[in-house]
Amino acid sequence: MSTAGPGLGAAVIGALADRETRGRWSMAIAIAALLAVATWWFVRGHDARGWSTAEPYADAPYYYAYAPSLALDRDLDLTDEYQVTHNWYRLGPTPTGRPGNVFGVGPAVLSLPAFAVGHALAIAADDRRDGFAHSEVTAVMWMSVLLSVLALVFPARVIARRFAPGPVGLFAALMIAASGPVVYYAVRQPGYAHPFATFFAAWLIDAWDASYDRPRTARTWAGLGLLLGLATLARPQLATWGVLLVAAAIDDLRRGRPTLRLLGRWLIGALVAGACVVPQLLAWRAL
């Protein structure tokens, strides 16, 4: 006769008795609470003029304009989009004859899943279909909230790994974020590239730091290349974080002599990083 296993309650108690499990649950609960507060702030916020801060202003309409153009028009001719956003900076046509856009395409590309959700809601509500329905704009703008909050996980992991395990890491990450522009670009001026840059740069730093604790395999280098590429796609200036991969390569050489296998791993990282930047290169070429 088989013996019945422990009940659900006993399993939960046993899991929570493990310090690492408790830490993960505490982190998840804290992040969920922060996300709820930040979302409330995002929805309810107004600037000095009384305008909702959940709407795109200044640079944000230029980042946003790519999304409906790519998803609905399937091109990079922003003529229709600028009729709605009014091209506040008066960007003139490029040599291709298309309206110019000096802002990167990366945030729009990375926001396409959110735009798709907003577009589905717009169809369900029989709202406007030009890509500027309230649900579409709000979904894309909310990505700034989501990524800014989730970015806190990565410095918390680094702090826990190198300095002090436990909740102090998340608290320190939150204090650092609150003392700089992260909060501003999350809830007061959403829709910029900064939250995407913050998220992927923080993730890259965490992955790079963790790579010093184990051998770097081809998968490790592919992951580092992916994160560097996505950070660069989010904001091209972040290509300078490639210095971390140079440091990692030097550490590989310190661990052992160069081999064709090692060179192959570096090549994989470089190719993955380059592939991630292709959408921006194509956008520049099209414009």
Side-chain angles (χ1 to χ4, degrees), residues 5 15 42 60 74 84 90 92 103 117 139 184 187 192 232 246 276 281 286:
F42 165 79
R74 294 179 175 80
V84 179
R90 301 294 184 264
F103 300 93
V117 172
Y184 178 82
V187 296
Y192 280 42
T232 305
V246 174
C276 291
L281 300 179

Side-chain angles (χ1 to χ4, degrees), residues 38-283:
T39 299
W40 176 84
W41 192 354
F42 165 79
V43 172
R44 302 288 297 176
H46 292 81
D47 62 17
R49 300 162 294 186
W51 296 357
S52 170
T53 53
E55 297 293 329
Y57 298 112
D59 298 0
Y62 291 93
Y63 286 113
Y64 181 85
Y66 286 116
S69 185
L70 289 170
L72 303 182
D73 300 339
R74 294 179 175 80
D75 61 28
L76 280 176
D77 186 343
L78 303 176
T79 302
D80 295 343
E81 286 70 29
Y82 283 0
Q83 289 178 356
V84 179
T85 65
H86 306 299
N87 189 11
W88 180 259
Y89 295 149
R90 301 294 184 264
L91 299 180
T94 68
T96 64
R98 295 182 177 185
N101 193 343
V102 299
F103 300 93
V105 73
V109 171
L110 296 168
S111 295
L112 285 178
F115 181 83
V117 172
H119 188 61
L121 293 174
I123 293 175
D126 196 22
D127 203 344
R128 59 192 296 177
R129 305 293 177 82
D130 60 354
F132 288 87
H134 178 72
S135 59
E136 294 164 331
V137 174
T138 301
V140 173
M141 294 299 104
W142 183 74
M143 288 292 292
S144 296
V145 177
L146 177 65
L147 295 181
S148 297
V149 172
L150 292 181
L152 297 174
V153 172
F154 305 115
R157 283 163 51 94
V158 174
I159 293 169
R161 185 183 303 121
R162 300 302 177 196
F163 301 102
V168 66
L170 182 59
F171 178 77
L174 179 60
M175 292 299 99
I176 293 169
S179 66
V182 173
V183 175
Y184 178 82
Y185 288 113
V187 296
R188 185 61 184 268
Q189 192 73 65
Y192 280 42
H194 301 68
F196 297 86
T198 298
F199 178 79
F200 287 111
W203 194 352
L204 171 62
I205 294 167
D206 175 40
W208 168 78
D209 177 74
S211 75
Y212 281 80
D213 294 340
R214 58 182 181 272
R216 295 185 185 87
T217 63
R219 176 181 292 184
T220 304
W221 276 102
L224 292 173
L226 176 66
L227 293 173
L228 175 62
L230 291 175
T232 305
L233 177 63
R235 191 166 173 82
Q237 297 94 319
L238 267 63
T240 53
W241 281 109
V243 67
L244 296 183
L245 272 63
V246 174
I250 293 173
D251 184 63
D252 279 348
L253 293 175
R254 182 187 61 81
R255 296 181 185 186
R257 62 182 182 180
T259 63
L260 288 178
R261 177 175 294 182
L262 181 59
L263 293 176
R265 293 170 183 169
W266 295 348
L267 180 61
I268 289 172
L271 290 175
V272 172
C276 291
V277 184
V278 166
Q280 182 61 71
L281 300 179
L282 293 176

